[in-house]
């Protein structure tokens, strides 16, 4: 199998994976998932004219009588308090000229009133008030529908449900909504050299950082990590791990996907009857990337080098998970940035430079080698340069943020 282009790899994966069956769940559980349908406002917001302040519901004209001369002092208005309307049940009070109703924030505006004077601008005098300010029609009244009209779309199919959208759904009386299915993932990290963090290392061994990297990335993408297994480079344990992992929607395996004698992932997958759709993609880092199917699971084989695993996860695994979960937007956020260094890609593969996006500028960081995890940890963005593409310091580029 030759090397395929990044765009071909992406579209092959996009064609293979399908959105999972949507499920109905409580709006709180739905947070961070993707709406499976469009949702529309059942109610206007606010639902009724109501007070924005604790104060008095008035007729504005009563409080700001026309002045005889522009220079004349404002005459304070005196109004009789005829009732009280707290937030809650509408007492159906009425305000007629010369009268006012004591009112509180969120309470329905009594019939006849067209403004609210806040209590700080009023002097109370028994069952009367003296209004010490000019009042305009509509002042401190939150009018029906000014925020949201009935029938307006409040959540689109494929949109991520956020804390704020959960609140909006609740304000509309929705207790549950339909969201895209959840992706369960199995992680398999392979390599005889790997040791779990927290244990002692012997010469030649290294800590397994990919297992935790993948768990973090999978969870951030919204997948559920069902299992994470460390495998040595032998076919038996790999076979067992794959068979167990294939009960999930996806299996993400790291290491062992290259061409060395100890790279047994592809061979083992084939022996188990897997169909390999992609092996080797023209990107740097990440060339040995593998994609295939084992039973009903999609298998993503990521290179063992941590930066390669990171980049191929973001470029190939993340969009697949989002599509399965029913997301409309599969891409990382893209922002324009001014380059602060010259960057050249003389390689035959597209190169993803890791770097820092800060105050509109992008600076590549570290050695740009696929094992350089520290540089990656200092970065927050990727700049893709196509094969042969050269960019000069000061030029504008587009950076992908994670
Ligand atoms: P491989 O893809 O198995 O040829 O591994 C490539 C490089 O990545 C080697 O230097 C491995 O030691 C390293 N590597 C493989 N798996 C991991 C892992 N889980 N955590 C950290 N480094 C790894
Ligand atoms: Mg290995």
């Amino acid at each position: 199998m030759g090397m395929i282009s990044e765009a071909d790899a992406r579209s092959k994966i996009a064609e293979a994976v399908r959105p999972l069956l949507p499920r109905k769940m409580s709006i709180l559980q739905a947070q961070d998932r993707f709406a499976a349908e469009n949702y529309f406002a059942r109610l206007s917001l606010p639902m009724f004219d109501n007070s924005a302040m604790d104060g008095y519901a008035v007729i504005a004209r009563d409080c700001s009588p026309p002045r005889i001369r522009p220079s004349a002092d404002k005459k304070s208005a005196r109004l009789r308090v005829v009732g009280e309307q707290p937030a809650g049940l509408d007492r159906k009070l009425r305000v007629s000229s010369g009268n006012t109703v004591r009112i509180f924030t969120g309470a329905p505006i009594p019939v006849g009133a067209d403004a609210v004077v806040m209590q700080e601008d009023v002097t109370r005098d028994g069952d009367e008030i003296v209004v010490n300010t000019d009042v305009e029609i509509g002042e401190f009244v939150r009018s029906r529908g000014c925020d949201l009209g009935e029938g307006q779309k409040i959540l689109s199919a494929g949109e991520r449900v956020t804390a704020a959208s959960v609140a909006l759904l609740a304000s509309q009386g929705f207790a549950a909504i339909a969201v895209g299915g959840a992706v369960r993932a199995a992680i398999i990290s392979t390599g005889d050299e790997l040791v779990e963090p927290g244990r002692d290392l012997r010469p030649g061994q290294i800590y397994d950082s990919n297992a935790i990297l993948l768990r973090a990335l999978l969870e951030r993408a919204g997948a559920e990590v069902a299992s994470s297994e460390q495998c040595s480079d032998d076919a038996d344990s790999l076979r067992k791990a794959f068979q167990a992992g294939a009960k999930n929607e996806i299996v993400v395996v790291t290491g062992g996907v290259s061409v060395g004698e100890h790279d047994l992932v592809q061979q083992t997958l084939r022996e188990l009857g897997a169909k390999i759709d992609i092996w080797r993609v023209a990107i740097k880092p990440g060339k040995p990337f593998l994609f295939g199917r084992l039973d009903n699971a999609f298998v993503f084989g990521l290179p063992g080098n941590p930066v390669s695993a990171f980049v191929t996860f973001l470029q190939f695994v993340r969009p697949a998970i989002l599509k399965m979960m029913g997301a409309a937007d599969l891409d990382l956020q893209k922002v324009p940035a001014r380059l602060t260094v010259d960057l050249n890609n003389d390689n035959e593969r597209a190169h993803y430079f890791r770097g820092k996006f800060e105050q509109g500028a992008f600076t590549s960081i570290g050695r740009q080698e696929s094992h350089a995890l520290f540089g990656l940890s200092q970065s927050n963005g990727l700049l893709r340069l196509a094969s042969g593409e050269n960019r000069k310091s000061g030029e504008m580029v587009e950076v992908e943020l994670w």
Side-chain angles (χ1 to χ4, degrees):
M1 216 183 270
M3 192 162 61
I4 77 166
S5 79
E6 196 192 349
D8 285 350
R10 218 188 289 275
S11 60
K12 266 195 175 180
I13 296 168
E15 276 164 34
V17 302
R18 294 261 166 271
L20 303 172
L21 272 188
R23 301 191 285 187
K24 197 142 189 178
M25 57 181 72
S26 80
I27 53 174
L28 187 60
Q29 281 179 301
Q31 190 184 192
D32 280 338
R33 296 178 188 268
F34 298 92
E37 301 165 16
N38 292 324
Y39 285 89
F40 299 91
R42 297 162 161 174
L43 307 165
S44 300
L45 284 187
M47 265 174 268
F48 46 87
D49 295 352
N50 71 88
S51 177
M53 288 286 173
D54 291 341
Y56 292 84
V58 299
I59 298 169
R61 193 175 4 93
D62 280 354
C63 308
S64 311
R67 294 172 200 178
I68 298 142
R69 284 170 318 205
S71 60
D73 278 347
K74 177 182 159 18
K75 236 182 89 207
S76 298
R78 199 168 253 281
L79 302 171
R80 218 166 71 84
V81 183
V82 295
E84 184 172 308
Q85 174 65 68
L89 222 49
D90 189 344
R91 293 181 177 166
K92 307 278 185 204
L93 300 177
R94 178 174 285 277
V95 170
S96 47
S97 188
N99 292 343
T100 182
V101 162
R102 174 79 170 121
I103 198 164
F104 299 90
T105 305
I109 302 287
V111 178
D114 59 16
V116 170
V117 197
M118 57 177 179
Q119 64 189 34
E120 291 86 336
D121 288 334
V122 160
T123 313
R124 181 92 189 216
D125 179 11
D127 64 355
E128 291 190 339
I129 58 167
V130 178
V131 179
N132 307 316
T133 180
D134 275 341
V135 179
E136 277 174 36
I137 291 180
E139 211 167 307
F140 298 125
V141 173
R142 304 192 286 213
S143 53
R144 173 184 152 82
C146 70
D147 182 21
L148 176 69
E150 219 175 290
Q152 223 173 304
K153 198 196 273 183
I154 56 170
L155 189 63
S156 301
E159 192 180 331
R160 193 185 279 277
V161 180
T162 63
S165 45
V166 164
L168 181 61
L169 288 162
S171 79
Q172 292 292 314
F174 289 99
I177 60 164
V179 293
V183 176
R184 283 163 312 161
I187 299 169
I188 304 173
S189 53
T190 76
D192 284 340
E193 71 278 34
L194 301 179
V195 174
E196 214 179 301
R199 300 229 168 132
D200 290 337
L201 285 178
R202 289 166 48 205
Q205 296 183 318
I206 63 167
Y207 285 121
D208 178 355
S209 58
N210 284 351
I212 200 84
L213 169 73
L214 291 174
R215 184 181 276 272
L217 289 172
L218 283 162
E219 284 176 357
R220 266 199 100 169
E224 261 169 49
V225 177
S227 63
S228 181
E229 197 171 332
Q230 212 179 74
C231 256
S232 48
D233 291 315
D234 78 272
D236 255 0
S237 46
L238 263 183
R239 200 176 301 121
K240 288 202 189 84
F242 276 128
Q243 280 168 330
K247 295 186 177 66
N248 299 287
E249 277 80 31
I250 67 170
V251 178
V252 186
V253 53
T254 150
V257 291
S258 296
V259 290
E261 284 92 271
H262 300 284
D263 294 328
L264 301 172
V265 164
Q266 184 167 183
Q267 184 195 322
T268 308
L269 280 171
R270 286 189 193 280
E271 280 165 20
L272 287 170
K275 185 171 163 293
I276 309 294
D277 295 320
I278 297 171
W279 182 52
R280 305 216 297 176
V281 180
I283 80 169
K284 183 183 160 144
K287 177 172 155 190
F289 173 81
L290 173 150
F291 172 74
R293 248 172 288 193
L294 175 61
D295 302 334
N296 289 321
F298 294 104
V299 180
F300 296 87
L302 313 189
N305 276 309
V307 182
S308 312
F310 183 85
V311 170
T312 50
F313 183 95
L314 289 184
Q315 298 304 321
F316 302 124
V317 188
R318 182 181 178 274
I321 290 171
L322 292 181
K323 182 165 184 197
M324 292 168 102
M325 292 178 69
D329 182 7
L330 309 183
D331 295 331
L332 290 168
Q333 187 197 349
K334 291 196 175 102
V335 293
R338 189 177 35 79
L339 204 53
T340 64
V341 285
D342 293 352
L343 288 178
N344 303 318
N345 181 13
D346 303 324
N347 200 281
E348 53 163 354
R349 294 178 270 152
H351 191 161
Y352 280 90
F353 289 88
R354 287 78 66 191
K356 188 141 201 165
F357 172 76
E358 215 170 25
Q359 294 178 338
F362 181 79
T363 310
S364 62
I365 286 186
R367 295 169 55 85
Q368 301 294 327
E369 286 171 319
S370 56
H371 64 272
L373 191 50
F374 178 64
L376 181 69
S377 78
Q378 304 301 298
S379 305
N380 63 357
L382 290 174
L383 170 61
R384 180 187 188 277
L385 291 192
S387 174
E389 189 176 355
N390 298 316
R391 295 304 199 117
K392 290 262 169 290
S393 173
E395 276 187 60
M396 289 305 289
V397 292
E398 201 174 57
V399 172
E400 294 175 55
L401 299 182
W402 66 77

